[in-house]
């Protein structure tokens, strides 16, 4: 009886293993292989208002795409003093606006800036990327108050996904990162 149970378990284990291997092959053929990941990944610093922020001037990878953050800790060019002929737009969001898995030239803020400036208006458009991976709306609002409004925006666009409305415990996030 024991021998029969062990044989059945062995057959079941081998069947599951073969099934998982076949499923992996089918998924890779249909959907493609997972994106490769390189290190380092994004570095963060504690922040009492947002819980954490991406480290300013950090160099990291989003999967295998190199990323360089500006001195504010976001993707995109340095934000300098506003020019008289400049129309400044802040784009606040999470990984979709950050440009997860995208090179700088393909992130929404870069594409948007280029398309607006190609219209030939009398002003120069600047689109400031103020997005961080894994942020929620309750982290984005203090960012707007503490950093964003000081950049003198003419327009503010909040990008969100349904999961962004789940409030993050900012104090707990800050406590998790403050000693690093």
């Amino acid at each position: 009886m024991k021998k029969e149970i062990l044989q059945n378990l062995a057959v079941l284990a081998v069947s599951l293993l073969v099934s998982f291997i076949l499923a992996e092959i089918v998924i890779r053929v249909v959907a493609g292989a997972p994106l490769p990941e390189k290190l380092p990944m994004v570095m963060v610093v504690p922040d009492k208002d947002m819980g954490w922020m991406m480290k300013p001037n950090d160099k990291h990878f989003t999967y295998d795409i190199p990323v360089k953050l500006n001195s504010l800790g976001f993707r995109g060019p340095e934000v300098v003093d506003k020019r008289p002929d400049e129309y400044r737009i802040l784009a606040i969001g999470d990984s979709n606006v950050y440009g997860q898995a995208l090179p700088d030239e393909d992130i929404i803020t870069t594409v948007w800036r280029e398309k607006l400036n190609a219209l030939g208006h009398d002003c120069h458009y600047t689109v400031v990327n103020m997005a961080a991976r894994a942020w929620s709306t309750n982290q984005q609002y203090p960012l707007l108050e503490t950093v964003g409004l000081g950049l003198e925006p003419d327009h503010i666009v909040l990008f969100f996904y349904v999961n962004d409305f789940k409030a993050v415990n900012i104090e707990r996030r800050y406590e998790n990162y403050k000693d690093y």
Side-chain angles (χ1 to χ4, degrees):
M1 180 79 167
K2 271 188 175 182
K3 185 177 179 182
E4 188 176 311
I5 290 173
L6 289 175
Q7 285 177 338
N8 286 340
L9 286 174
V11 167
L12 177 63
V14 169
S15 297
L16 285 173
L17 180 63
V18 169
S19 296
F20 287 139
I21 291 171
L22 288 174
E24 179 74 17
I25 291 169
V26 168
I27 289 170
R28 285 183 184 237
V29 167
V30 172
L35 293 173
E37 291 192 54
K38 283 187 168 182
L39 296 176
M41 296 175 102
V42 66
M43 297 292 294
V44 298
V45 293
D47 185 278
K48 287 188 179 200
D49 296 313
M50 279 72 72
W52 62 272
M53 290 187 68
M54 294 185 295
K55 184 179 176 184
N57 301 309
D58 183 42
K59 293 180 182 177
H60 63 272
F61 288 90
T62 171
Y63 295 103
D64 62 344
I65 307 294
V67 172
K68 165 114 174 51
L69 302 181
N70 61 30
S71 61
L72 294 175
F74 299 105
R75 291 187 76 175
E78 282 298 325
V79 182
V80 296
D81 291 339
K82 190 173 177 183
R83 299 178 354 196
D85 68 335
E86 179 180 354
Y87 189 90
R88 185 171 285 180
I89 302 167
L90 301 185
I92 300 175
D94 62 4
S95 56
N96 293 314
V97 179
Y98 161 84
Q100 183 72 7
L102 295 175
D104 285 345
E105 61 270 12
D106 292 339
I107 60 177
I108 191 168
T109 50
T110 302
V111 172
W112 199 5
R113 180 186 71 236
E114 289 174 0
K115 289 193 178 288
L116 286 170
N117 284 316
L119 294 174
H121 293 153
D122 291 336
C123 66
H124 172 77
Y125 291 96
T126 300
V127 182
V128 180
N129 188 324
M130 297 188 75
R133 297 163 53 176
W135 267 12
S136 288
T137 305
N138 71 317
Q139 292 167 287
Q140 295 159 347
Y141 182 73
L143 172 70
L144 177 61
E145 287 186 317
T146 59
V147 179
L149 294 178
L151 299 176
E152 303 177 65
D154 296 295
H155 206 102
I156 300 165
V157 180
L158 172 65
F159 291 82
F160 60 87
Y161 190 70
V162 72
N163 68 340
D164 294 339
F165 293 107
K166 183 177 180 190
V168 167
N169 186 325
I170 292 172
E171 295 79 20
R172 187 172 5 165
R173 291 264 173 106
Y174 174 75
E175 288 297 319
N176 288 343
Y177 291 111
K178 74 175 184 175
D179 295 326
Y180 289 102

